[in-house]
């Protein structure tokens, strides 16, 4: 029963539940060669034993709405009864995240809920058109979205300097014509050169505090991205990562990531490029559910002869 349920997220199960159950149980017998095909094997993930147990017991009730779900309730954003909250890892993020979900996006197919489950204190999910007003905080907010004006993560600090609490420049030329603010004299910190201290001072005034992600199919994004409340925000594109999502949309580049992948890879790049700190797996558990389901679905497809 566990395979015919939402664990496969509506994937076709032509071979029937019995065959699928046998396939999933065979995950415990993976060979070294199959591990090489696992893109998540190097991640520092919490034990997924709780998910293995839940998989074997099948669907369970949501403790809030009593709906039958597998692993977690995608409408209440909580684990089901067979997945104790204390056994689910939590991740502390360096900034807040708003996820704007398209009203027609199927809840059970969305990976946005993973972020809310694993970083509940730092993630908020809104269902469009109910979203916040960002006008007054454009100098500290950015939007993850590919486009002609998108910038890379490493260029965030530079471009945020164009945004002030009084407004935003209409064009890049307007920004460069404005007089630069006077810089206070800064005494070099021990071990730092003067230009490094000045750069640090400027970045403090343009520190990114919130990042926005759109959760929808790529064909649905136009309705949200053209909303006037999102106009003028700094846009960031993740160009170097490839998706592992099992529902990759045909005709789209493999650099178009699922929502949880985009969040994870952005934070890794942000940690290294902006915070200038070595990355030691601090955000790996954001892929706690995603990596488990990726393996689950990949092996089920393989057993069903789809790969």
């Amino acid at each position: 029963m566990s395979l015919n349920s939402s664990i496969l997220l509506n994937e076709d199960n032509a071979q029937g539940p019995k065959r699928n159950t046998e396939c999933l149980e065979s995950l415990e017998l993976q060979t070294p060669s199959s591990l090489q095909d696992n893109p998540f094997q190097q991640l520092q993930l919490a034990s997924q034993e709780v998910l293995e147990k839940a998989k074997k017991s099948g669907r369970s009730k949501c403790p809030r709405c009593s709906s039958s779900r597998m692993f977690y309730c995608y409408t209440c954003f909580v684990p089901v009864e067979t997945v104790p909250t204390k056994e689910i890892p939590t991740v502390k993020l360096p900034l807040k995240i708003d996820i704007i979900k398209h009203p027609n996006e199927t809840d059970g197919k969305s990976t946005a809920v993973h972020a809310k489950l694993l970083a509940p204190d730092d993630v908020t999910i809104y269902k469009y058109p109910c979203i916040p007003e960002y006008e007054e905080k454009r100098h500290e907010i950015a939007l993850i979205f590919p486009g002609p004006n998108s910038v890379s993560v490493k260029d965030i600090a530079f471009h945020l300097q164009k945004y002030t609490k009084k407004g935003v420049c209409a064009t890049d030329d307007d920004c460069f014509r404005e007089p630069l603010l006077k810089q206070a004299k800064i005494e070099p910190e021990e071990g730092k050169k003067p230009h490094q201290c000045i750069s640090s001072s400027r970045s403090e005034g343009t520190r990114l505090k919130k990042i926005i992600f759109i959760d929808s199919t790529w064909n649905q994004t136009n309705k949200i991205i053209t909303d006037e409340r999102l106009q003028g925000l700094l846009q960031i594109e993740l160009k170097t990562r490839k998706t592992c999502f099992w529902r990759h949309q045909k005709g789209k580049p493999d650099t178009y990531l699922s929502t949880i992948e985009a969040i994870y890879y952005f934070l890794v790049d942000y940690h290294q490029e902006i915070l200038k700190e070595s990355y030691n797996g601090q955000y790996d558990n954001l892929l706690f559910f995603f990596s488990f389901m990726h393996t689950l679905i990949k092996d089920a497809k393989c057993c069903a002869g789809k790969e």
Side-chain angles (χ1 to χ4, degrees), residues 6 19 57 83 104 125 141 143 166 195 198 201 226 285:
S6 60
R19 172 109 180 244
S57 61
V83 182
N104 294 334
I125 297 179
I141 297 177
L143 170 68
K166 293 181 180 180
H195 76 275
I198 294 174
S201 175
T226 56
N285 274 323

Side-chain angles (χ1 to χ4, degrees), residues 108-135:
K109 294 182 178 181
S110 172
T111 62
V113 64
H114 297 181
K116 182 62 178 176
L117 284 162
L118 299 164
D121 295 335
D122 298 316
V123 176
T124 304
I125 297 179
Y126 297 94
K127 181 167 287 189
Y128 188 83
C130 298
I131 65 175
E133 293 285 348
Y134 297 110
E135 177 72 27

